[in-house]
Amino acid sequence: MTADVWVLGNLTIDDLVLADGTTAMGLCGGNAIFAALGARLWSTRVGLSARVGPDYPASHVQALAATGIRLALSPVEAPSMHNWALYETADRRRFINWLDSGSHLDQSLLPAEVPPDAGSARVCHIAPMPLEVQAQLVRHLWGQGALVSLDPHDEYIPGAEATLLDLLGMVDLFLPSRQEAALLFGRDAPEEAARAFAARGPRAVVVKLGAEGSLVCGQGQATPRYVPAVPVEAVDPTGAGDAFCGAFGATYGRGGSLLESTCRATVAASFVVERRGALAILPLDPATAKRRLEWLTHTLKGDTSLCAWTSAN
């Protein structure tokens, strides 16, 4: 069965330190997991490929498999990535590896490890990894049949802007954060950046604005469309952007419009920020997801009679 979206990325173990001093240790994390769960909210046809270290908790893998996500994991001898996720504000953070952690490069897939099912999926999403790895994966997937979706990583952009911009000619969906867009474009101008990136080849560019929502721009679109975030009680933003990307790819892969894909992606992200750790959003709640999607859709249409919202919805 052809997957609507296949995610390529990392599995991690996260120790969280929020700006208010709240901590949570040993959480199931990783951009691949958040992206796949975001996609799984809207699709039963989701695949995930990543490297897995010998110390990665088997219970995390079992929980993912139980959701129906198709797993194609590549065992490696390098230890898993174990991070400190340190937040100064909701938008300012850094990830620091434990001293005995595997590195980001150690735990990033090479083209030879990508299963054929990924190349034949409707959308293949490349989550944040070292740019040298992302570039190899984009070139490997280009022309295989899958639409290529790319989410860059801010740490690898400075000094490599030209390399990343050149890749956009082989990318169908480009989904940077506001910070990443600013680094790549040269200044913080999300609308201008979205148009400039779209002009380089992608069918769609989405600039993720965190708690402010997102901007979506198609090729030749003069003005990007703004989509607000769903107002929920945010606890931890880790992984929200990844869930957004997975849900966007799953919806677009099934023939959804750019606006519908962005709305469903926004809803997926809203579940992630309410909880700590990727598996905390399980079991998935399609009824609440539908209500949030209806609220967002009516908000964009200006139907104020249906725009009242509380985090209890």
Side-chain angles (χ1 to χ4, degrees):
M1 181 184 297
T2 301
D4 292 325
V5 65
W6 199 285
V7 176
L8 310 179
N10 304 123
L11 313 181
T12 67
I13 303 166
D14 295 340
D15 294 328
L16 179 69
V17 181
L18 295 176
D20 64 0
T22 300
T23 61
M25 311 296 285
L27 297 175
C28 175
N31 49 42
I33 294 179
F34 281 109
L37 288 174
R40 182 63 185 84
L41 183 64
W42 300 113
S43 171
T44 59
R45 299 185 294 187
V46 178
L48 183 160
S49 293
R51 287 184 172 182
V52 59
D55 56 333
Y56 197 76
S59 59
H60 295 349
V61 177
Q62 291 163 1
L64 285 175
T67 69
I69 294 170
R70 295 161 58 189
L71 301 177
L73 303 179
S74 297
V76 294
E77 294 182 2
S80 302
M81 287 178 65
H82 197 151
N83 298 315
W84 289 102
L86 307 176
Y87 282 84
E88 297 178 16
T89 68
D91 298 321
R92 289 175 58 83
R93 69 181 182 189
R94 68 177 64 185
F95 288 95
I96 300 175
N97 285 356
W98 275 38
L99 295 177
D100 57 356
S101 165
S103 72
H104 205 180
L105 188 60
D106 289 337
Q107 290 295 335
S108 292
L109 289 168
L110 293 176
E113 298 168 289
V114 177
D117 284 347
S120 61
R122 290 187 170 90
V123 172
C124 188
H125 175 64
I126 302 172
M129 286 180 278
L131 183 57
E132 63 193 88
V133 173
Q134 289 190 312
Q136 291 181 60
L137 292 173
V138 168
R139 295 187 180 105
H140 172 72
L141 291 165
W142 190 43
Q144 285 198 32
L147 298 179
V148 178
S149 169
L150 180 66
D151 182 6
H153 193 312
D154 55 358
E155 292 183 14
Y156 304 118
I157 294 175
E161 294 87 349
T163 299
L164 182 51
L165 287 171
D166 286 345
L167 283 181
L168 295 188
M170 294 179 280
V171 168
D172 299 285
L173 310 174
F174 185 52
L175 302 102
S177 68
R178 181 173 190 162
Q179 179 183 5
E180 291 155 353
L183 287 170
L184 186 58
F185 188 60
R187 55 193 174 88
D188 184 22
E191 289 195 16
E192 294 178 46
R195 288 195 297 269
F197 300 153
R200 286 184 168 266
R203 299 184 182 201
V205 173
V206 182
V207 179
K208 297 168 292 185
L209 305 174
E212 296 179 23
S214 60
L215 291 169
V216 58
C217 183
Q219 275 187 340
Q221 186 176 332
T223 304
R225 181 69 185 270
Y226 171 71
V227 176
V230 176
V232 297
E233 184 178 353
V235 171
D236 174 17
T238 307
D242 300 305
F244 183 106
C245 291
F248 187 96
T251 306
Y252 193 80
R254 296 173 66 184
S257 68
L258 294 184
L259 185 58
E260 179 189 1
S261 299
T262 305
C263 288
R264 290 179 183 263
T266 300
V267 170
S270 75
F271 284 95
V272 172
V273 299
E274 292 179 306
R275 299 162 176 84
R276 298 187 183 98
L279 299 182
I281 70 171
L282 298 175
L284 298 172
D285 186 352
T288 299
K290 181 180 178 181
R291 290 197 297 272
R292 293 184 181 187
L293 181 61
E294 290 173 346
W295 173 86
L296 187 54
T297 301
H298 287 294
T299 298
L300 290 170
K301 290 179 179 178
D303 187 348
T304 57
S305 66
L306 294 173
C307 288
W309 183 263
T310 69
S311 60
N313 285 321

